Amino acid sequence: MKHFIRQVFNDILENPAFDELLIEKYFSKEYIQIVDHSQLTYDEFVLHIRKLKEKVAEQKLDIISHAENGNIIFTHHIAKSTLKDGSKVVHKVLAEFTIQNHQIIRCNELTLLVEGNAVEKNLGSER
């Protein structure tokens, strides 16, 4: 499952282009994401990804560690983002992904801004 999540990171988040077909490939229409205190439905998640592509010039995600249990994978990863205004932000992310029928159906995530402007604290859920 680590390979699957790595592919999602590569195709959706690190890819500078917005591609809704790739989102549909990896995420169930029943998808729910809880980020810190915000809940996103599938449609809100699509808006979130679109917003990221408008704001972020480059993003790199490094998986520090992971654990798997059945259809659940937990990752501790670092998201390094260069915004289109040239500023840089780094977030520490703890995420629990639930996978069903080769798609992510749920993500429960905590993000912590560790470097950069405090305005970007909620980059992980902004829409």
Side-chain angles (χ1 to χ4, degrees), residues 35-38 48 52 55 83 88-93 109-126:
V35 182
D36 303 320
H37 298 291
S38 298
H48 165 62
L52 279 180
K55 193 170 191 173
L83 304 184
K88 297 182 185 295
V89 293
V90 178
H91 289 85
K92 175 181 176 178
V93 183
E109 176 180 308
L110 294 174
T111 60
L112 175 66
L113 178 68
V114 293
E115 183 180 313
N117 191 327
V119 168
E120 304 305 337
K121 178 184 176 212
N122 295 319
L123 192 63
S125 60
E126 191 174 339

Side-chain angles (χ1 to χ4, degrees), residues 68-121:
E68 298 180 26
N69 185 13
N71 67 330
I72 294 172
I73 181 167
F74 170 88
T75 64
H76 167 200
H77 59 273
I78 301 295
K80 297 177 183 177
S81 306
T82 302
L83 304 184
K84 290 190 176 173
D85 68 5
S87 62
K88 297 182 185 295
V89 293
V90 178
H91 289 85
K92 175 181 176 178
V93 183
L94 302 176
E96 179 187 63
F97 299 95
T98 304
I99 300 169
Q100 187 174 39
N101 299 322
H102 308 290
Q103 288 188 310
I104 300 171
I105 61 167
R106 185 172 181 86
C107 177
N108 192 350
E109 176 180 308
L110 294 174
T111 60
L112 175 66
L113 178 68
V114 293
E115 183 180 313
N117 191 327
V119 168
E120 304 305 337
K121 178 184 176 212

Side-chain angles (χ1 to χ4, degrees), residues 1-15 22 25-27 53 58-66 68 73-80 95 97 99 104:
M1 277 196 296
K2 180 184 176 187
H3 174 73
F4 175 78
I5 293 299
R6 178 70 250 159
Q7 196 64 47
V8 171
F9 287 175
N10 182 66
D11 290 354
I12 305 294
L13 298 170
E14 294 177 341
N15 181 353
L22 281 174
K25 175 182 175 181
Y26 292 114
F27 293 87
K53 300 308 174 186
E58 183 176 79
Q59 191 167 57
K60 176 70 177 143
L61 285 85
D62 296 312
I63 297 175
I64 306 303
S65 62
H66 76 286
E68 298 180 26
I73 181 167
F74 170 88
T75 64
H76 167 200
H77 59 273
I78 301 295
K80 297 177 183 177
F97 299 95
I99 300 169
I104 300 171

Side-chain angles (χ1 to χ4, degrees), residues 13-32:
L13 298 170
E14 294 177 341
N15 181 353
F18 175 78
D19 187 338
E20 197 163 344
L21 291 177
L22 281 174
I23 296 171
E24 289 177 12
K25 175 182 175 181
Y26 292 114
F27 293 87
S28 165
K29 296 283 188 175
E30 306 302 314
Y31 179 69
I32 296 290

